Amino acid sequence: MSFYRALNRSLIKNYVNTREVVPWYQKEQKLSALECWYKDNVYPLWFKYVKGPFERYQYEHTVSHLRGYGLMFDDRHNTNDPVIERAIELLPPDLMIGRYRRIMRSVELNYRKTHLPVEYQNYDPMIPYLAPFMEEAKFQMQEEQELLRFNPWDRRLYSGNTTGMGETTPHSAFTAW
């Protein structure tokens, strides 16, 4: 028997004997004394006075912006994303027409530098109307990829504003004159 074969067998035998049944990422993680003190004393103050108010401000600002232009949150998704493209194709006609009209109204209001009247702003823009269609689009795309034996290396050459030639941000490699 060759040296490497014997070495391999001995390594495998030792690995089987020392292998743990539960992986490290599923074990209960013990915090150090400093981490426990931070978790108990510092983080609540950080959340109460910094993180919480900032997130609340961001949420309220987003809601007021969407209400000012008459949009829903799902209207702001990137339409060049393949999942969003498919989800928009799956929308029923009434939702698709409503989405189109909201976007065109917001473009017009932005062009005129105005906002909707206050009496039309009494709605919740955070209701996700596109979410079930996005899930269905993900399932459809996954099924297509499995049936066509799609490899992640095989991607569209041009998708959105990037060409697939290596640039990470739109218009970073080519000039758009």
Side-chain angles (χ1 to χ4, degrees), residues 22-27 29:
V22 180
W24 64 270
Y25 52 86
Q26 292 180 349
K27 288 184 180 177
Q29 295 194 1

Side-chain angles (χ1 to χ4, degrees), residues 8 11 14 17 39 54 59 87-88 107 111 117 131 133 151-152 176-177:
N8 193 17
L11 287 175
N14 289 337
N17 294 338
K39 182 181 171 189
F54 181 72
Y59 176 80
I88 291 172
V107 168
Y111 172 71
F133 301 102
N151 189 331
W177 292 8

Side-chain angles (χ1 to χ4, degrees), residues 46-157:
W46 161 259
F47 186 81
K48 183 176 181 182
Y49 294 111
V50 179
K51 185 179 179 191
F54 181 72
E55 288 179 354
R56 176 70 181 222
Y57 165 76
Q58 286 286 13
Y59 176 80
E60 295 296 334
H61 179 74
T62 303
V63 167
S64 67
H65 176 77
L66 292 173
R67 283 181 179 165
Y69 288 110
L71 290 171
M72 300 291 281
F73 184 77
D74 285 346
D75 295 338
R76 296 179 63 189
H77 287 298
N78 182 6
T79 55
N80 294 327
D81 183 11
V83 175
I84 303 300
E85 284 180 18
R86 179 70 62 93
I88 291 172
E89 290 172 4
L90 294 174
L91 279 175
D94 58 337
L95 289 178
M96 192 181 304
I97 291 169
R99 180 179 192 276
Y100 175 78
R101 287 181 178 170
R102 283 192 302 273
I103 292 173
M104 289 300 109
R105 178 177 57 197
S106 70
V107 168
E108 180 73 17
L109 289 171
N110 190 16
Y111 172 71
R112 293 183 180 191
K113 296 186 177 8
T114 59
H115 293 285
L116 276 180
V118 177
E119 56 268 13
Y120 293 122
Q121 294 186 20
N122 189 16
Y123 71 99
D124 184 12
M126 294 297 192
I127 297 173
Y129 70 91
L130 200 57
F133 301 102
M134 287 170 60
E135 293 301 317
E136 180 63 28
K138 286 178 191 175
F139 284 124
Q140 284 184 1
M141 292 176 75
Q142 181 181 1
E143 185 178 12
E144 286 175 7
Q145 289 173 356
E146 289 171 358
L147 289 173
L148 296 174
R149 295 183 183 159
F150 178 78
N151 189 331
W153 293 97
D154 304 331
R155 61 179 186 201
R156 289 193 275 177
L157 187 60

